[in-house]
Amino acid sequence: MPVLSTRAADEAGVSVVAAPAELKPISNALEFVGRVEAPEKVAIRARVKGVLEDVLFREGDTIKAGTPLYRIEKSLFDADVQQAEGTLQRTQAELTLASIQRQRAQQLLERNAGTAVAFDQAVAQEAQAKAATISAGANLDTAKINLGYTDITAPISGRIGMTAVSKGNLVGPDSGELTSIVSQDPMYVTFPVSQRDITAAQKAGKVNDPKSIKLRIRFSDGTLYDQIGQISFLDVSVDRSTDTLIVRGDIANPTKTLVDGQLVKVELEAGTPEERVVVPQSALIADQQGVYVFIVEDGKAAIRRLKTQGSSGANAVVSSGLNGGELVITDGFQSIRPGVAVRPSPAPALNTGG
């Protein structure tokens, strides 16, 4: 009885999972490794020295330009402003007196009751008083500016990082970066392109209008970002050490999915999509002769040797070996060999990744 059961199972075929090789419109795409960058980055530093009274933000928050971030103790800077105001008032009074004395010396000289020397001295004293007034006014402006620096506000809108100091600490220009802010929407994506790829694109006429090239981002887990960007900048010179040109693209980030410094795959698409055969990458098997798949042919497993040309999401793009429509075994091929009867069940729908 066990022998008859084994024979019945062999005649029924080995259970496998299979999916059809499909024809899909695939754009000519090049893939690069790139990095997400915020267009605006600001390191927040203290511009005056003093005791930090308060930290006014929550780390990681999205803030707007002008939002208060830190407050430095103001008392010494208020005193500097008052002292500068007193100095300015004194110099203004001295200027008034010097102007009156110069006028009197001029009148006496005109009536031959004074001397030219006395008049010259009065003119010089008036000029000195004017200079002292200008200097005092500048010192007052400086004191007011320094007082304003005790309130540290956000110069740009974006997401704020961790604070390096807490209240009660002495901060100043030598304290280093207190925190940082990065903008979030849109974002830049920068990536190096080899001179060989640039030359090939120029021959194909794909760099005449860089803005016509679609830029897409794929994350480390293989998922495709739902926004499409465009090329905005090509560097003016090639890196001599790597023979690459830095290219930058702009892409929207409305949901704040992209993060400054993030490593991503960049896919550039240009031209009209072409019909290509695609199969799940899980169906590919490699040996010393290359890449092959098992297909279901007349109820039995058969081998088809392939040449692939890149990927499209979870699928491999096939350049030769399949015509489309073949039933490709994606799971269960580990226990089969060519000519073995198989019993395929359907696989989930293919995802080309857009």
Side-chain angles (χ1 to χ4, degrees):
M1 291 298 292
V3 174
L4 293 176
S5 298
T6 303
R7 287 179 179 176
D10 289 342
E11 291 175 0
V14 178
S15 179
V16 295
V17 177
E22 295 186 305
L23 282 170
K24 295 284 186 180
I26 303 296
S27 298
N28 294 320
L30 294 174
E31 190 174 275
F32 305 92
V33 175
R35 195 170 294 278
V36 176
E37 294 183 3
E40 294 182 302
K41 303 178 188 178
V42 177
I44 304 300
R45 301 175 185 270
R47 301 181 70 173
V48 292
K49 189 173 182 179
V51 175
L52 194 64
E53 281 190 340
D54 208 355
V55 179
L56 304 172
F57 65 92
R58 188 169 60 184
E59 297 170 325
D61 273 0
T62 299
I63 60 175
K64 294 183 178 180
T67 300
L69 304 178
Y70 296 98
R71 185 169 58 243
I72 297 174
E73 186 180 25
K74 298 178 181 291
S75 55
L76 290 176
F77 299 95
D78 278 327
D80 288 342
V81 170
Q82 294 175 9
Q83 183 177 10
E85 286 176 341
T87 301
L88 178 61
Q89 291 177 4
R90 186 184 73 249
T91 57
Q92 288 173 336
E94 292 172 351
L95 175 60
T96 300
L97 178 61
S99 297
I100 293 173
Q101 291 175 340
R102 191 264 307 160
Q103 291 173 359
R104 288 177 178 172
Q106 183 176 2
Q107 292 171 355
L108 291 173
L109 182 62
E110 290 173 351
R111 293 198 294 263
N112 294 323
T115 64
V117 173
F119 174 72
D120 291 341
Q121 290 175 343
V123 170
Q125 288 174 353
E126 183 182 30
Q128 289 176 353
K130 286 181 179 179
T133 301
I134 293 172
S135 178
N139 289 337
L140 176 59
D141 291 340
T142 300
K144 289 181 177 179
I145 291 171
N146 288 336
L147 176 61
Y149 287 155
T150 58
D151 291 316
I152 303 176
T153 59
I156 64 170
S157 298
R159 191 162 182 256
I160 193 164
M162 296 176 61
T163 179
V165 292
S166 57
K167 67 178 182 179
N169 284 284
L170 182 67
V171 296
D174 298 330
S175 301
E177 185 176 316
L178 304 182
T179 188
S180 61
I181 304 173
V182 295
S183 61
Q184 292 191 282
D185 187 23
M187 297 293 273
Y188 288 154
V189 184
T190 59
F191 51 97
V193 178
S194 69
Q195 188 61 42
R196 181 181 61 185
D197 288 334
I198 294 172
T199 302
Q202 288 173 337
K203 289 180 179 179
K206 294 178 181 179
V207 294
N208 295 329
D209 182 14
K211 292 184 178 180
S212 66
I213 301 175
K214 294 181 180 179
L215 181 151
R216 308 201 72 171
I217 287 177
R218 194 174 295 279
F219 299 115
S220 58
D221 62 355
T223 58
L224 196 65
Y225 184 49
D226 61 0
Q227 299 289 327
I228 297 176
Q230 66 179 25
I231 301 300
S232 61
F233 172 75
L234 281 73
D235 206 350
V236 296
S237 60
V238 174
D239 189 319
R240 296 175 184 270
S241 60
T242 60
D243 198 32
T244 58
L245 185 75
I246 296 299
V247 179
R248 187 183 72 199
D250 295 351
I251 192 165
N253 189 31
T255 58
K256 312 300 184 288
T257 303
L258 302 179
V259 181
D260 179 59
Q262 188 174 12
L263 197 65
V264 294
K265 288 185 177 179
V266 180
E267 296 178 359
L268 299 184
E269 300 177 0
T272 305
E274 300 177 359
E275 290 287 323
R276 300 286 186 89
V277 177
V278 296
V279 297
Q281 294 191 30
S282 59
L284 301 182
I285 308 169
D287 62 10
Q288 292 181 347
Q289 299 179 40
V291 177
Y292 68 94
V293 294
F294 278 109
I295 68 168
V296 179
E297 189 173 58
D298 298 328
K300 297 180 180 180
I303 285 179
R304 287 290 184 272
R305 292 282 171 182
L306 307 180
K307 288 185 179 180
T308 59
Q309 187 177 15
S311 62
S312 176
N315 302 320
V317 180
V318 178
S319 59
S320 67
L322 294 174
N323 298 318
E326 297 91 344
L327 201 58
V328 179
I329 297 175
T330 61
D331 193 16
F333 51 73
Q334 296 86 351
S335 58
I336 62 175
R337 63 184 184 279
V340 170
V342 292
R343 182 162 38 89
S345 58
L350 293 179
N351 173 23
T352 63

